[in-house]
Amino acid sequence: MEVLTVELGARSYPIHIGSGILQSMDVLLAHFAQPKVAVVTNETVAPLLLKAFARRLREKGCQVVEIVLPDGEQFKDWQTLNRIFDALIEHSCERKTTLVALGGGVVGDMAGFAAACFQRGAPLIQIPTTLLAQVDSSVGGKTAINHPSGKNMIGAFHQPQLVLIDPETLRSLPDRELRAGLAEVIKYGLIRDLPFLEWLEGNIEKLLAKEPDALEQAIHRSCRNKAEVVAADEREHGERALLNLGHTFGHAIEAGLGYGRWLHGEAVAAGTMMAVELSRILGWLDAGDVARAEALFARAALPVSGPAMGADRYLELMQHDKKVQNGRLRLVLLRRIGQAVVSEDASLAQIRAAIAARSADG
Ligand code: NAD
Ligand code: GLY
């Protein structure tokens, strides 16, 4: 088992990574503030993991409230969030009742937001069960629900007490979901970790084949990158925005098509290629760099261009991005492969050209 720490002073917390660690309750129990815990999951993960997990907790003396949500990005909304509050109140949960998020990024973001709000802040433990959640969303304390016009528009920062990552949970993950997670893994290489990008170029097929050693290495390296960025800039005043490479375009794809049509990671892959294309238009990358990024996404069977929505619709949706300041779009672009920046340098015409080059509109 490996342990990383997200260094946030008094709110620092560990990330435990290891195959089979979900079987052992010791680490978890040490982080519970009281015997009553509320496990939030969804109807897909529940039959796979919840029953055995809740049984092990009960055997250790915990009172377990099980909260099973419908599955899907389209349920990352007020109505479904309210089901968590209803269950917490119905079962007389208290401010010290730990909420445990057992699932992918949707469950993690919703349980996290519920924990941020319930009685003005309850403890939270993240047990991510998708690759995307294990390499990204479970770490860093961002929690949110969607608004019909904008991804993750309503939310809060609420750091967990612990992140517990068991790569064995990925055995049942559908291939399409695994590939979507790889988009966020590749992101770390592109924005700040060139040696990791080179490692991915040599090992992407092993990851697609779910080779345990390769997966564990990729998860560890991704979490290390994320932990460093979050420790340096918890509330996204600067560096943390770089984690959003491709997300401004990608969120427009998700909202524009309707949540759930494209997976988040698929939209991020296509959005990243738009950001890469724009970086080439600005003269920061050359055609070889674009081909390099495209080749890696293509090997991971991820989209390298977005759907036809019309550049105007893309731009309209991109205006809801959380990085917009005084009405101006700020985009994460690449100065070079392995070095991202937040930039206002691109003109509207250049952004349109990048969208056209990397979407079915082009
Ligand atoms: P998801 O939560 O929808 O999970 C994907 C699918 O896999 C779902 O159908 C889920 O039920 C299923 N699943 C989960 N674990 C499984 C398992 N072990 N075996 C089989 N099936 C399993 O999607 P995701 O890709 O995990 O997360 C995407 C969400 O994360 C988006 O809403 C995105 O906005 C959010 N996100 C948040 C952050 C953050 O920092 N908070 C970062 C990145 C993404
Ligand atoms: N996934 C972006 C962030 O956590 O900041």
Side-chain angles (χ1 to χ4, degrees):
M1 184 179 73
E2 302 189 68
V3 185
L4 294 164
T5 305
V6 184
E7 302 283 358
L8 289 170
R11 288 173 300 104
S12 297
Y13 55 92
I15 306 169
H16 290 249
I17 305 168
S19 283
I21 55 170
L22 200 49
Q23 304 301 317
S24 140
M25 295 286 110
D26 298 349
V27 176
L28 259 180
L29 292 173
H31 284 82
F32 289 159
Q34 61 168 216
K36 187 181 273 186
V37 294
V39 182
V40 183
T41 189
N42 73 22
E43 57 202 8
T44 303
V45 179
L48 295 168
L49 298 169
L50 178 63
K51 205 171 152 205
F53 179 65
R55 178 180 41 74
R56 286 195 296 278
L57 286 176
R58 289 188 179 108
E59 282 167 4
K60 295 285 182 184
C62 294
Q63 262 176 281
V64 184
V65 177
E66 299 179 11
I67 305 175
V68 181
L69 305 177
D71 182 9
E73 183 75 37
Q74 65 276 30
F75 296 109
K76 200 171 142 180
D77 60 8
W78 275 118
Q79 287 74 16
T80 313
L81 180 73
N82 217 26
R83 287 172 61 164
I84 304 180
F85 296 130
D86 288 347
L88 293 173
I89 292 165
E90 185 192 330
H91 290 91
S92 307
C93 293
E94 301 170 0
R95 185 179 277 170
K96 289 202 166 173
T97 302
T98 298
L99 273 73
V100 179
L102 178 71
V106 170
V107 163
D109 279 10
M110 293 183 75
F113 190 30
C117 302
F118 185 64
Q119 300 206 8
R120 302 200 183 93
L124 170 71
I125 289 178
Q126 291 276 5
I127 305 184
T129 64
T130 62
L131 182 62
L132 187 138
Q134 294 186 349
V135 299
D136 191 351
S137 62
S138 62
V139 175
K142 278 190 180 175
T143 76
I145 55 170
N146 299 326
H147 183 276
S149 299
K151 270 279 287 185
N152 298 332
M153 272 292 131
I154 300 139
F157 285 95
H158 188 62
Q159 298 293 346
Q161 317 274 307
L162 164 73
V163 181
L164 205 61
I165 301 177
D166 186 342
E168 273 184 20
T169 59
L170 301 180
R171 278 204 205 140
S172 53
L173 192 69
D175 288 347
R176 184 179 172 200
E177 297 293 348
L178 185 87
R179 293 195 296 266
L182 287 175
E184 301 280 17
V185 174
I186 293 170
K187 169 186 83 179
Y188 295 113
L190 288 172
I191 63 170
R192 73 191 302 271
D193 192 349
L194 191 54
F196 185 37
L197 189 77
E198 288 161 358
W199 182 88
L200 288 169
E201 288 172 327
N203 291 277
I204 197 85
E205 278 77 22
K206 289 185 189 160
L207 294 172
L208 288 163
K210 294 190 185 171
E211 277 195 20
D213 284 353
L215 272 179
E216 205 161 320
Q217 275 192 65
I219 293 166
H220 186 271
R221 184 73 168 236
S222 299
C223 284
R224 201 176 86 191
N225 271 292
K226 178 112 189 212
E228 285 172 6
V229 173
V230 170
D233 179 24
E234 182 186 9
R235 296 275 170 144
E236 198 170 311
H237 297 302
E239 186 184 352
R240 186 164 180 171
L242 304 181
L243 295 172
N244 282 320
L245 176 68
H247 284 57
T248 306
F249 297 103
H251 286 166
I253 294 171
E254 289 185 89
L257 293 181
Y259 298 115
R261 291 275 304 281
W262 278 39
L263 300 181
H264 176 69
E266 293 168 344
V268 165
T272 297
M273 285 312 303
M274 290 177 181
V276 164
E277 201 68 55
L278 188 51
S279 306
R280 185 194 59 75
I281 290 168
L282 288 167
W284 298 345
L285 299 183
D286 62 26
D289 296 323
V290 177
R292 182 178 180 184
E294 178 167 356
L296 191 54
F297 284 121
R299 280 168 66 197
L302 284 162
V304 292
S305 56
M309 299 198 300
D312 285 344
R313 180 70 176 141
Y314 270 96
L315 285 165
E316 180 192 331
L317 290 161
M318 285 163 69
Q319 281 301 330
H320 296 305
D321 189 78
K322 291 183 284 304
K323 287 183 295 304
V324 168
Q325 268 179 15
N326 301 316
R328 277 189 71 87
L329 258 185
R330 297 159 68 242
L331 293 168
V332 182
L333 300 174
L334 295 182
R335 273 276 176 199
R336 60 179 68 89
I337 298 284
Q339 191 195 335
V341 288
V342 177
S343 165
E344 291 186 21
D345 292 358
S347 68
L348 216 51
Q350 289 169 320
I351 299 172
R352 280 178 187 281
I355 294 170
R358 282 288 159 184
S359 69
D361 291 321

